[in-house]
């Protein structure tokens, strides 16, 4: 994800002179709310816990907040420490889960008061229940993030798809975010699952890795073993533009993939053809990377106008350009389906779709994947990862 990523995404290092006073104030307030709400719900309110318990809870909360700040600064700042990034990312996910369910707990506490349940029993019931939910969701959410993604099958009917292309199988992966947690084994398992799908086309729709080619080379290496009958195609996501976008395009090319840097290829089967195009992420133009910027006109240059167009574009909000260009199907990622509930509600404020198949305009359809990996916090809560198998059908045969 990008502009609207999971809470606390750090996009650039802090200048050596220190953060501006205004930014420091905002960070302090956010931390106070994120950590203070669970602290209040679990240790204070009307539960009447012993003073020693409240002091211990406060020290833990303050210490976790400090560790989060240090972890994010050292992990995602200039030091690029994977160890600190793992600490900061994990704490970020845990505090978000704790914050959300503490808010829900306070609402439940209010309801219990209305029906006549008094303190301290009322607050103790809520504190115990909230703590149990936090622990359960943290354990389950980490397992969901680290597991082999489920394979999701989706059929998409395209009006202009020729009969010879009916049944074309496209495997879609996106947002693998190879990063501070070493996931080479997971990467190999994902590739094995992709290869079991007997795909005609395999797509990686950006946010391949967080970090340089040199740092993430081993995790990405299994992608060289991906099999596809017709094409393996890749486009950049916004995270490539935090560092080495061109290097990642070149590296994927060296692994045998077609890097669709504002260009297209044509796939043929049964005498019919499909234009497979790709554009840079929408943040590329402002990244400072020379020669980069989403350009659908360039991507479709010299493509035969009568042919159906299958477009890779990292962000769902790039759909407007696709509709204007008469694209038949755009595939995107970026949203992670929200990754940790209820963050998807905030994602929806920035993107037209959070996940799934949707129609835009008279011709264009959009499939938005929840993503194959995760960014930052190693948790997925009510937003499962996926490897998507799209089966394209010709409307003339349906």
């Amino acid at each position: 994800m990008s502009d609207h990523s999971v809470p606390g995404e750090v996009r650039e290092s802090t200048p050596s002179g220190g953060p501006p006073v205004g930014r420091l104030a905002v960070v302090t307030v956010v931390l106070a709310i994120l950590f203070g709400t669970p602290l209040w719900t679990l240790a204070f309110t009307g539960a009447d816990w012993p003073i020693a318990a409240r002091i211990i809870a406060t020290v833990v909360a303050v210490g976790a907040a400090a560790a989060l700040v240090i972890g994010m600064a050292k992990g995602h700042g200039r030091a690029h420490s994977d160890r600190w990034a793992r600490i900061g990312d994990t704490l970020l996910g845990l505090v978000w889960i704790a914050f959300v369910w503490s808010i829900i707990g306070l609402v439940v506490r209010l309801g219990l008061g209305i029906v006549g349940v008094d303190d301290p029993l009322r607050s103790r019931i809520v504190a115990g229940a909230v703590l149990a939910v936090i622990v359960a969701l943290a354990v389950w959410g980490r397992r969901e993030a680290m597991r082999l993604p489920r394979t999701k099958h989706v059929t998409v009917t395209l009006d202009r798809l020729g009969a010879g292309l009916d049944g074309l199988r496209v495997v879609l992966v996106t947002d693998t975010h190879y990063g501070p947690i070493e996931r080479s084994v997971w990467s190999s398992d994902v590739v094995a699952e992709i290869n079991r799908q007997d795909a005609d086309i395999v797509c990686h729709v950006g946010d391949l890795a967080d970090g340089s080619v040199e740092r993430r080379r081993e995790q990405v290496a299994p992608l060289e073993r991906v099999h596809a009958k017709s094409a393996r195609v890749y486009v950049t996501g916004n995270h490539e533009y935090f560092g080495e976008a061109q290097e990642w395009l070149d590296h994927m090319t060296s692994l045998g993939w077609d890097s669709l840097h504002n260009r297209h290829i044509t796939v043929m089967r049964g005498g019919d053809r499909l234009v497979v195009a790709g554009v840079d992420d929408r943040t590329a133009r402002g990244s400072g990377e020379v020669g980069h910027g989403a350009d659908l006109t360039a991507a479709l240059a010299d493509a035969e106008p009568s042919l159906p167009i299958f477009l890779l574009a990292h962000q769902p909000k790039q759909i407007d350009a696709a509709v204007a260009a008469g694209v038949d199907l755009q595939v995107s990622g970026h949203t992670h389906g929200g990754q940790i509930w209820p963050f998807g509600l905030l994602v929806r404020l920035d993107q037209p779709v959070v996940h799934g198949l949707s129609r835009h305009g008279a011709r264009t359809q959009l499939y938005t994947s929840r993503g194959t990996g995760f960014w930052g916090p190693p948790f997925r809560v009510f937003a499962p990862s996926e490897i998507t198998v799209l089966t394209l059908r010709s409307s003339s045969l349906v």
Side-chain angles (χ1 to χ4, degrees):
M1 294 186 284
S2 69
D3 321 69
H4 59 273
S5 320
V6 289
E9 177 171 352
V10 176
R11 299 177 58 183
E12 59 184 18
S13 57
T14 302
S16 58
V21 173
R23 184 185 301 175
L24 181 61
V26 170
V27 170
T28 301
V29 170
V30 169
L31 287 173
I33 293 172
L34 283 176
F35 284 90
T37 303
L39 178 63
W40 174 257
T41 304
L42 297 176
F44 291 88
T45 60
D48 196 27
W49 300 118
I51 293 297
R54 295 183 178 188
I55 292 174
I56 292 172
T58 302
V59 169
V60 169
V62 172
L68 171 60
V69 172
I70 295 170
M72 299 303 287
K74 290 189 174 183
H76 299 283
R78 292 178 180 175
H80 295 297
S81 165
D82 283 351
R83 177 175 175 272
W84 276 109
R86 290 192 294 269
I87 293 171
D89 292 345
T90 299
L91 287 171
L92 177 60
L94 287 174
V95 74
W96 176 251
I97 294 170
F99 169 75
V100 167
W101 289 91
S102 292
I103 292 291
I104 294 172
L106 290 175
V107 173
V108 172
R109 179 177 179 271
L110 179 62
L112 290 175
I114 293 174
V115 300
V117 180
D118 296 325
D119 280 330
L121 177 62
R122 174 176 55 149
S123 293
R124 290 185 176 185
I125 290 173
V126 169
V130 168
L131 182 60
V133 169
I134 292 170
V135 172
L137 287 181
V139 172
W140 175 68
R142 179 174 174 82
R143 178 182 178 277
E144 283 292 299
M146 302 300 292
R147 63 164 288 165
L148 176 68
R150 297 168 179 85
T151 300
K152 182 177 180 180
H153 293 266
V154 180
T155 299
V156 185
T157 301
L158 302 179
D159 292 338
R160 296 199 298 169
L161 192 73
L165 291 165
D166 184 72
L168 192 82
R169 290 170 67 83
V170 180
V171 173
L172 170 65
V173 294
T174 182
D175 299 282
T176 44
H177 286 283
Y178 295 114
I181 298 176
E182 214 292 321
R183 287 183 289 152
S184 295
V185 173
W186 179 88
S187 184
S188 293
D189 291 343
V190 167
V191 168
E193 181 62 26
I194 292 171
N195 289 341
R196 279 191 284 270
Q197 303 309 315
D198 192 30
D200 295 286
I201 302 171
V202 178
C203 308
H204 194 301
V205 197
D207 280 6
L208 173 64
D210 293 304
S212 66
V213 172
E214 189 59 36
R215 288 169 69 90
R216 309 305 178 207
R217 184 184 302 274
E218 292 304 313
Q219 294 184 60
V220 174
L223 293 179
E224 186 173 17
R225 303 195 298 271
V226 167
H227 299 309
K229 296 175 184 176
S230 298
R232 299 180 296 175
V233 290
Y234 161 71
V235 294
T236 53
N238 57 302
H239 277 244
E240 279 85 342
Y241 291 98
F242 294 169
E244 300 184 349
Q246 187 59 53
E247 287 81 354
W248 278 115
L249 286 164
D250 294 341
H251 185 64
M252 287 296 280
T253 299
S254 75
L255 296 181
W257 289 63
D258 275 306
S259 292
L260 300 183
H261 172 36
N262 294 323
R263 68 182 189 91
H264 74 271
I265 61 173
T266 302
V267 170
M268 178 179 287
R269 197 183 78 169
D272 287 307
R273 290 177 293 162
L274 173 69
V275 173
V276 180
V279 292
D280 297 342
D281 182 70
R282 64 184 298 273
T283 62
R285 197 171 303 281
S287 69
E289 187 88 18
V290 177
H292 286 249
D295 190 341
L296 187 51
T297 300
L300 297 177
D302 301 322
E304 187 175 320
S306 63
L307 296 181
I309 302 169
F310 181 96
L311 175 67
L312 283 71
H314 180 65
Q315 297 197 39
K317 67 165 47 178
Q318 293 177 267
I319 191 64
D320 291 341
V323 171
V327 167
D328 296 82
L329 175 61
Q330 174 179 314
V331 291
S332 300
H334 185 66
T335 68
H336 299 198
Q339 187 164 320
I340 304 177
W341 184 87
F343 202 75
L345 299 177
L346 300 180
V347 174
R348 187 63 182 81
L349 298 177
D350 182 61
Q351 298 290 333
V353 179
V354 177
H355 65 86
L357 185 65
S358 55
R359 183 172 289 276
H360 304 261
R363 172 188 295 171
T364 307
Q365 296 182 71
L366 165 67
Y367 184 79
T368 305
S369 168
R370 288 189 177 98
T372 310
F374 59 87
W375 175 84
F379 303 98
R380 274 187 173 270
V381 177
F382 307 135
S385 56
E386 65 182 77
I387 296 169
T388 317
V389 181
L390 302 176
T391 301
L392 306 188
R393 301 299 309 276
S394 171
S395 61
S396 64
L397 297 178
V398 174

